[in-house]
Amino acid sequence: VIIQAGNLGHPVLGFVMQHDYSSFYAYEMNGRKQFGYPPFSRLIQVTFRHKQKETVEKAAKAFAGLVHPFLDNALIGPAEPVVNRIRGQYLMEITIKCPREMKRIENIKQQLMDAVALFHQEKKYKGTVVIIDVDPA
């Protein structure tokens, strides 16, 4: 196996070289717990698409401002994804870390849907596509 790496001192490479799956698992789960990532939380990804880069950037920032009051520290972004343009449309993303309680997730999803409806009432953002993905792959 050939592995290309930018940081040869990264702990994961040590686990790989030692074939130490259990230590890798413990290391990864500790980091996920510390920073609140699955399986200790759930993620909701909100993706914005528009044919003009400036419009999608403004739209994502406006939406983030709209939902920030009820999401507070759970909001990550907006940011450009690694692949920031698909089929002639620019992309921006917001990630939301949610607690695992089903009631809270349903509440957040409803608030997001309400925010999308309110957001699309703004004439300048009507052409912006908003996609909400719970537990993105």
Side-chain angles (χ1 to χ4, degrees):
V1 173
I2 297 174
I3 298 174
Q4 181 178 356
N7 178 4
L8 297 176
H10 196 282
V12 170
L13 289 176
F15 300 137
V16 169
M17 290 188 300
Q18 298 299 318
H19 302 281
D20 189 353
Y21 173 78
S22 58
S23 294
F24 166 71
Y25 178 82
Y27 172 83
E28 186 67 19
M29 293 306 281
N30 182 47
R32 287 174 173 266
K33 186 174 186 176
Q34 181 180 355
F35 296 107
Y37 280 98
F40 302 100
S41 69
R42 300 208 33 209
L43 298 180
I44 298 175
Q45 184 172 298
V46 184
T47 303
F48 302 85
R49 293 186 349 204
H50 196 275
K51 60 185 174 189
Q52 295 178 341
K53 186 174 184 171
E54 184 179 325
T55 301
V56 80
E57 288 173 349
K58 286 180 181 179
K61 287 179 185 174
F63 190 84
L66 192 62
V67 299
H68 186 268
F70 68 86
L71 292 173
D72 198 26
N73 294 332
L75 191 68
I76 303 168
E80 276 188 12
V82 175
V83 177
N84 66 350
R85 190 173 179 198
I86 296 176
R87 295 185 202 135
Q89 292 195 319
Y90 291 93
L91 306 174
M92 290 292 286
E93 293 177 341
I94 293 174
T95 302
I96 301 160
K97 290 194 270 186
C98 305
R100 294 208 51 86
E101 300 101 45
M102 229 23 219
K103 260 187 180 176
R104 178 75 174 123
I105 292 168
E106 290 302 321
N107 185 22
I108 289 171
K109 284 179 6 183
Q110 185 58 54
Q111 288 175 316
L112 285 173
M113 296 303 289
D114 293 346
V116 169
L118 187 62
F119 173 77
H120 277 137
Q121 288 178 4
E122 280 279 336
K123 194 167 126 178
K124 59 186 168 187
Y125 301 131
K126 279 193 178 188
T128 304
V129 177
V130 180
I131 302 163
I132 298 174
D133 185 6
V134 179
D135 294 328

